Amino acid sequence: MDFEMRRPKWVIMTYVVLLLLAVATALPNFLPSTIRSSLPDWATRQTVSLGLDLQGGAHLLLAVERDAYAHARLQELRETLASEMSAQKLEPAAIRTEGLTVSVPANEALVTKMRDVAAENIEPGQPGDFTVVMSDGTLRLALTEAGLDRGATDAADRSLEVIRHRVDQVGISEPVISRVGQDRILVQMPGVENPAQLRELLGSTAKMSFHMVASGPGPDVSMLDMRDGSGTIPVEDRVALSGDRLDRAASAFDPETGQPMVTFAFDRQGGTAFGQITATNIGQRFAIVLDGKVLTAPVIQTAIPGGQGRITGDFTAAEAQTLAVLLTSGALPASLEVIEERSVGAALGADSIKAGLIAGAVGLALVVAIMVGLYGGWGLLASAVLGVNVMLTLTALGLLGATLTLPGIAGIILCLGIAVDSNILIFSRIREETAKGATAIKALTQGYARAWSTILDANITTLLAMVLLFLFGAGAIRGFAVTMSLGIVISMFTAVVLMRMMMEALVRRRKPARLAIAPLIGGVPAPGAFSFMRRGRLALVVSAALSLGAVGALLVPGPNFGIDFTGGVQMVLRSDTSVPLSELRAAIAAGVPGDASLQAFSDPKEALIRVQGEAGQATVTAVEAAAAQAVPGAVFDQIDLVGPTISGELATTGLIALSLAVLAMLVYIWVRFEWHFAAGAIAVLFLDVTKTFGVIAVTGWEVNLTTIVALLTLIGYSVNDKVVVYDRIREHLRNDGDAPLADVIDRSLNQVLARCIFTSGTTLAALLPMAIWGGPAVAGFAWPMIAGVVIATASSLFVAGPILAWLAGRTPPHEAGQAPGAKRSAATSDVPGLHT
């Protein structure tokens, strides 16, 4: 890459203006909300929105309940068949149901009619909703998977408007409601303080109907549960009046008792039918049924001609409001179940922001201290550019309309440590050129030129990992990938363009004879002469033994999987007083099904409740009821629900992402270097990842989505490290191909030794505050990363070289003289190859 030392003034002014605009755009993000609200809209339009984990709110992923939907479709098919049989004077009582199949003795006329029904609204070549088979005088109608899939997708589409109407009725500001996948709906609502009401509001089908109460069990009679849990009553299956005829509903208070109730009114047709039913059934009980449960079953005292009524019961004001909203919004076309929930209270969100700011400030201070200590005034200049880096990242997030989440803050903090790697590489190269006797201008030019390819290769490997994380992640995980990707690209710009311009300006102004980038104390250390290769065999044996031990730790005691992969519920309870753990544990054991556990925090007013395994809305409701019984007045700061479907998908996508990340690194290094380098990097990467997994297993750190994020980030970091080492080895092979490979590797490792230690030091400086002060969510990312960075740095110095030498020694003789890039470019065909 050609770096010009002189740039036109208009280019420099363009950079300055763009940077000032970017900084001005980012500044409102740091202002208090009170001041920000007083600014004009154009000044705050590009501020970064906070995610639900920072501002508080609820994230619910709903899916069409397939079993219930299949049952409903089977019932519809049975009714259609019965209707056609009645029209042909046949007896519907002979209909039988087994699984997803309806069968009945039939004639050819009925078979022909049902085939016509099956072909209705189906495009040519597409499978029908059900199959029609006639054999041995019996007609069999079987629902098809294609039809159920098509119907579930249609039901999810039609449910969107119903859900939007329900959310609007409650008055939630700026909700995000969107379709996801085949039969799912994502609902995100900031500021929600009562997720229990929200689950009931969104999960209830709200199919309301009115039935006469039977005298007792019998044919065409079902025993339905009372909503208040007082028992069951016999209700006629025949619908006397459908809830579709409801015109409006509202919550109110009973003027006689003062208790909350719901009033309703039918449309004209429904009002007439309601009047006729009440007039002809005086003295009989009339059941109001919602989603299979009896809300109330009053005795009809007199005819009600006005088409109006009321529903009374043991309602709270919130329950009455929810029921009124459900009835007003209409029924969902299919039952929806909450398969994933992530709810965070506003107080916990504020704590997360505070913890993130503290961790970021401490991390930045440590990085600045290291850079100034290592590079003096030039390190301070590079640290100042870090501030610009953060500003540009926030500006880019605002322009993209991205949301800043807690993992996103972790990404920004991590970028502070990784971003200076480019400066460390450049400074190291400049020091080498200065040591050769180059003038200040030449050292600056050659330093940037020699560092560029390494910077490009090293950052692309990390970007590849982030792209895969974005493709296979969701929600806050994608936020981390976006933030890290922007930070990496922007750091390349600030280090290669902005920092270079500033260094050029200072060199031209001061006109030094030599460009000495000296540390704050002492002089520039010369590369050592440590023999890494002499200890290479020992390093390989130790590394392999540690990896084998790590694999053993994965078997015994094994990883501690979190609910992201096992499924279950995790809830953080907070009380105004100390949580009575024994009473709460007893209440959970008595009322919560499944493998429930209770964990105390350092704060006695908080506790963590976890139920692993299959869990759903009922599990969350049971935990809330148990907590209300044992700790009155307690609230839940955080609720995480992961259903079995989602947990299986998360585990699968996590494995796919990790595998593709390794494959992507292999292909990239193979293309950019040679197969020896690619195979060596992947071998060392495998050793790094297994050791990190072993540390996670031995320490008992929870393995969840955050761990996968850490491992993917670590893969990018580890390969980044290996690229720096291999790039220096490749450079020496081109310049001195006749030297023994062991000597080339030793010389290269001694030259990059300082860079590897310095980069890992700044990265650890950014990670340690996150692990200590960042809170549980961020610490779950930081600790595995800390272990991985230490392991990756050690392997880059002690393992990568010996493995490369071993692979080169196994190269067939006819390939030994081939250049590391000869097969791709004639320009490098004279480069000596790898040999021992």
Side-chain angles (χ1 to χ4, degrees):
M1 184 174 180
D2 184 26
F3 293 93
E4 291 290 337
M5 288 300 295
R6 295 283 182 178
R7 290 183 177 82
K9 289 186 177 180
W10 69 268
V11 173
I12 297 175
M13 290 305 300
T14 301
Y15 280 137
V16 171
V17 171
L18 290 176
L19 287 173
L20 289 175
L21 287 174
V23 171
T25 302
L27 277 176
N29 290 289
F30 298 93
L31 299 176
S33 56
T34 53
I35 298 177
R36 196 187 310 164
S37 60
S38 63
L39 296 176
D41 290 340
W42 59 265
T44 59
R45 189 174 296 121
Q46 303 302 332
T47 54
V48 180
S49 302
L50 297 181
L52 297 179
D53 54 353
L54 294 178
Q55 64 172 316
H59 159 115
L60 283 86
L61 184 61
L62 308 170
V64 173
E65 194 171 350
R66 299 299 289 261
D67 289 343
Y69 178 73
H71 178 76
R73 289 289 295 120
L74 192 66
Q75 187 62 29
E76 290 176 9
L77 182 59
R78 182 188 177 105
E79 292 173 359
T80 301
L81 179 59
S83 176
E84 294 299 334
M85 291 181 70
S86 298
Q88 296 185 25
K89 309 297 186 185
L90 299 176
E91 181 53 57
I95 298 176
R96 296 292 180 266
T97 302
E98 182 178 353
L100 296 179
T101 303
V102 177
S103 60
V104 67
N107 54 34
E108 286 299 326
L110 181 60
V111 173
T112 302
K113 180 61 180 179
M114 293 310 298
R115 281 178 177 155
D116 292 340
V117 173
E120 290 177 359
N121 302 319
I122 301 297
E123 296 181 4
Q126 294 292 323
D129 289 347
F130 59 92
T131 59
V132 181
V133 177
M134 181 70 173
S135 73
D136 298 330
T138 300
L139 171 64
R140 291 180 175 84
L141 310 177
L143 295 177
T144 64
E145 287 297 326
L148 290 174
D149 289 343
R150 188 166 50 242
T153 301
D154 178 66
D157 289 336
R158 289 186 288 125
S159 297
L160 272 179
E161 286 305 316
V162 178
I163 289 177
R164 285 197 180 100
H165 193 268
R166 291 181 182 182
V167 172
D168 290 341
Q169 291 289 315
V170 178
I172 296 172
S173 62
E174 300 181 1
V176 176
I177 304 171
S178 58
R179 285 277 284 107
V180 179
Q182 184 185 47
D183 59 353
R184 297 176 181 178
I185 299 172
L186 175 63
V187 183
Q188 293 178 312
M189 286 157 290
V192 171
E193 294 291 341
N194 187 359
Q197 181 188 8
L198 185 63
R199 285 193 301 275
E200 183 179 356
L201 186 70
L202 300 182
S204 297
T205 309
K207 288 188 176 179
M208 189 174 183
S209 54
F210 298 81
H211 303 250
M212 298 306 301
V213 175
S215 57
D220 299 324
V221 173
S222 297
M223 300 298 297
L224 299 183
D225 293 327
M226 295 293 294
R227 173 193 167 277
D228 58 8
S230 59
T232 60
I233 62 171
V235 176
E236 294 181 1
D237 291 340
R238 185 181 63 85
V239 177
L241 182 58
S242 171
D244 294 340
R245 304 260 60 100
L246 280 175
D247 182 51
R248 62 184 181 275
S251 59
F253 290 93
D254 192 321
E256 297 179 1
T257 64
Q259 294 296 313
M261 66 176 185
V262 176
T263 62
F264 63 86
F266 291 102
D267 58 18
R268 179 180 298 178
Q269 184 178 349
T272 302
F274 188 59
Q276 293 174 349
I277 292 170
T278 54
T280 57
N281 291 281
I282 294 176
Q284 301 294 318
R285 296 182 70 185
F286 194 46
I288 303 175
V289 179
L290 180 70
D291 291 344
K293 288 191 175 182
V294 178
L295 296 177
T296 183
V299 176
I300 301 174
Q301 303 290 347
T302 182
I304 308 175
Q308 297 183 354
R310 62 184 185 179
I311 305 172
T312 58
D314 189 18
F315 294 120
T316 64
E319 289 171 340
Q321 181 195 24
T322 299
L323 178 56
V325 169
L326 291 173
L327 298 181
T328 302
S329 304
L332 289 169
S335 298
L336 299 178
E337 59 177 337
V338 179
I339 59 174
E340 183 182 22
E341 177 183 345
R342 312 278 183 177
S343 300
V344 176
L348 185 60
D351 290 343
S352 298
I353 295 175
K354 182 179 178 180
L357 291 175
I358 292 174
V362 175
L364 178 61
L366 290 175
V367 171
V368 171
I370 292 174
M371 290 298 291
V372 172
L374 294 175
Y375 304 109
W378 296 108
L380 183 62
L381 183 62
S383 300
V385 173
L386 281 182
V388 178
N389 192 311
V390 174
M391 292 287 190
L392 291 175
T393 301
L394 290 175
T395 300
L397 289 172
L399 292 174
L400 291 174
T403 300
L404 183 63
T405 61
L406 191 56
I409 292 179
I412 291 176
I413 298 172
L414 181 60
C415 275
L416 295 177
I418 295 179
V420 296
D421 180 49
S422 298
N423 296 115
I424 291 173
L425 285 167
I426 292 166
F427 289 161
S428 297
R429 287 292 192 172
I430 292 175
R431 281 178 171 179
E432 291 176 11
E433 296 302 317
T434 300
K436 294 176 184 177
T439 62
I441 292 295
K442 183 178 179 181
L444 182 60
T445 305
Q446 291 298 320
Y448 269 91
R450 293 184 184 279
W452 167 245
S453 64
T454 307
I455 293 172
L456 181 64
D457 287 333
N459 283 287
I460 284 180
T461 55
T462 307
L463 277 174
L464 285 173
M466 292 304 105
V467 168
L468 290 170
L469 198 57
F470 180 83
L471 292 176
F472 290 93
I477 305 304
R478 280 191 163 188
F480 172 84
V482 170
T483 304
M484 276 291 292
S485 299
L486 289 173
I488 291 168
V489 173
I490 290 170
S491 71
M492 292 176 65
F493 165 76
T494 54
V496 176
V497 178
L498 182 60
M499 183 69 182
R500 177 181 169 84
M501 289 174 55
M502 297 170 70
M503 292 186 73
E504 287 176 358
L506 288 171
V507 169
R508 283 198 299 267
R509 183 173 181 179
R510 295 181 179 179
K511 296 182 173 58
R514 299 172 72 250
L515 186 55
I517 302 182
L520 191 62
I521 301 174
V524 178
F530 184 82
S531 179
F532 292 91
M533 293 301 294
R534 185 178 301 171
R535 300 161 180 83
R537 186 168 297 178
L538 175 62
L540 288 176
V541 170
V542 171
S543 178
L546 290 174
S547 290
L548 287 174
V551 172
L554 290 175
L555 299 174
V556 180
N560 174 28
F561 288 110
I563 64 169
D564 287 339
F565 299 132
T566 64
V569 173
Q570 187 167 287
M571 305 169 69
V572 177
L573 177 142
R574 177 172 51 84
S575 174
D576 293 333
T577 59
S578 296
V579 177
L581 296 177
S582 57
E583 289 86 342
L584 180 57
R585 186 175 286 107
I588 291 173
V592 179
D595 181 18
S597 62
L598 180 63
Q599 177 182 332
F601 286 123
S602 56
D603 186 347
K605 297 180 181 179
E606 293 182 339
L608 174 68
I609 303 169
R610 178 181 295 173
V611 183
Q612 287 192 291
E614 283 202 25
Q617 301 175 62
T619 308
V620 177
T621 302
V623 172
E624 289 171 336
Q629 174 187 342
V631 194
V635 296
F636 286 97
D637 278 342
Q638 184 174 348
I639 300 175
D640 291 328
L641 162 64
V642 180
T645 303
I646 289 295
S647 63
E649 292 176 0
L650 292 176
T652 302
T653 54
L655 288 174
I656 291 174
L658 289 173
S659 302
L660 288 180
V662 173
L663 181 62
M665 305 300 167
L666 174 67
V667 172
Y668 182 79
I669 297 176
W670 197 323
V671 170
R672 289 289 292 171
F673 290 83
E674 181 58 80
W675 79 263
H676 314 83
F677 296 99
I682 296 306
V684 181
L685 178 61
F686 174 77
L687 295 173
D688 290 349
V689 173
T690 53
K691 291 186 188 73
T692 306
F693 260 126
V695 172
I696 293 172
V698 170
T699 55
W701 293 333
E702 184 177 294
V703 178
N704 49 31
L705 277 180
T706 306
T707 312
I708 299 300
V709 174
L711 289 173
L712 279 169
T713 308
L714 175 63
I715 287 173
Y717 180 91
S718 176
V719 176
N720 177 317
D721 233 24
K722 309 308 177 280
V723 164
V724 172
V725 173
Y726 286 163
D727 186 73
R728 186 60 67 100
I729 294 173
R730 179 177 61 174
E731 179 183 329
H732 284 309
L733 286 173
R734 287 174 174 173
N735 297 332
D736 190 12
D738 294 330
L741 181 58
D743 292 346
V744 171
I745 293 175
D746 272 338
R747 185 163 72 251
S748 301
L749 288 173
N750 278 287
Q751 288 175 340
V752 300
L753 175 63
R755 176 266 163 198
C756 290
I757 295 175
F758 295 165
T759 297
S760 63
T762 56
T763 305
L764 291 173
L767 287 168
L768 274 172
M770 287 198 290
I772 298 172
W773 295 293
V778 175
F781 165 82
W783 284 119
M785 273 295 297
I786 289 172
V789 167
V790 173
I791 292 169
T793 303
S795 69
S796 296
L797 296 173
F798 293 98
V799 181
I803 284 185
L804 180 63
W806 180 79
L807 290 170
R810 296 179 65 83
T811 303
H814 69 278
E815 293 183 14
Q818 191 178 35
K823 66 178 181 181
R824 289 175 296 276
S825 173
T828 60
S829 62
D830 58 340
V831 180
L834 293 170
H835 60 84
T836 55

